[in-house]
Amino acid sequence: MGLALLSIGSNVSPREHFLKQAIIEISNLGEINAVASLYESEPYGETDQPNFLNSALSLTTGMPPQRLLDELKSIEGKVGRQKRYRWGPREIDIDIIFYDNQIVTTRNLTIPHVDYHNRIFVLMPLSEIMPDFIAVNSGDTLKEMLTKHPDHNQISLYKSHWMENDN
């Protein structure tokens, strides 16, 4: 069994609905250990689009990283993600940030996720649920990384305990 730390986000209405549907589907891939609060953040990269809702979760799964990625991409499609331009609006975006302490580099999968350490919308929810997780490629905990991030985009708590009473 492996521990995957996932980042999820949506900036297409109904944002919270898309996130909840994704988590329900992800629960079929293993055991969800924790889900972070919802945070609202400015878009990263292409900034001329609506704000995102972001969260993170930890998942214990028997799937190896590549199969997990394939399943997550399938879930994105099932939940309603539409093909658009790079960095554009997304009904749902699910990324594998970490998988145990593995370093994976293939044509379509990089773990730890590229540039996660520069993205407050990834670090804040992850550090909420796994503050002492040590990033294999830096040696810092997620909590330490959060204090060092260079991302100056605005982020705010949107809703705590948003997945409770929803199954």
Side-chain angles (χ1 to χ4, degrees):
M1 299 298 272
L3 178 67
L5 299 183
L6 309 178
S7 175
I8 62 172
S10 173
N11 74 335
V12 175
S13 290
R15 300 176 301 174
E16 191 172 337
H17 170 78
F18 286 126
L19 293 167
K20 286 180 178 182
Q21 288 306 118
I23 288 178
I24 290 167
E25 294 295 328
I26 291 168
S27 71
N28 295 320
L29 306 181
E31 181 181 347
I32 295 177
N33 307 300
V35 177
S37 299
L38 273 180
Y39 294 88
E40 186 167 37
S41 63
E42 296 175 324
Y44 184 90
E46 175 64 43
T47 58
D48 188 21
Q49 58 183 312
N51 284 350
F52 276 82
L53 286 184
N54 299 99
S55 187
L57 59 113
S58 65
L59 174 73
T60 301
T61 183
M63 294 181 184
Q66 183 62 54
R67 179 159 174 234
L68 178 61
L69 175 66
D70 295 343
E71 292 294 329
L72 294 174
K73 293 303 170 195
S74 176
I75 288 170
E76 286 180 344
K78 185 175 183 178
V79 169
R81 182 164 178 169
Q82 302 296 309
K83 291 275 186 191
R84 293 186 179 87
Y85 56 92
R86 181 171 167 76
W87 301 80
R90 283 155 278 194
E91 288 79 7
I92 188 68
D93 188 34
I94 310 167
D95 291 319
I96 303 170
I97 307 302
F98 296 103
Y99 190 101
D100 288 332
N101 290 317
Q102 292 187 32
I103 295 176
V104 177
T105 306
T106 67
R107 183 179 54 78
N108 65 343
L109 178 60
T110 302
I111 298 174
H113 192 279
V114 175
D115 208 31
Y116 75 92
H117 57 283
N118 292 322
R119 300 175 181 185
I120 192 168
F121 65 88
V122 171
L123 290 173
M124 189 165 287
L126 279 178
S127 68
E128 176 188 321
I129 60 172
M130 297 284 290
D132 298 322
F133 181 85
I134 297 173
V136 64
N137 61 335
S138 78
D140 289 338
T141 66
L142 290 173
K143 185 177 179 180
E144 291 167 338
M145 293 179 88
L146 182 60
T147 65
K148 299 177 183 180
H149 74 87
D151 184 354
H152 298 292
N153 283 356
Q154 294 296 312
I155 187 167
S156 59
L157 180 64
Y158 183 81
K159 189 183 287 186
S160 298
H161 312 292
W162 62 286
M163 282 299 295
E164 292 180 6
N165 305 319
D166 261 50
N167 289 34

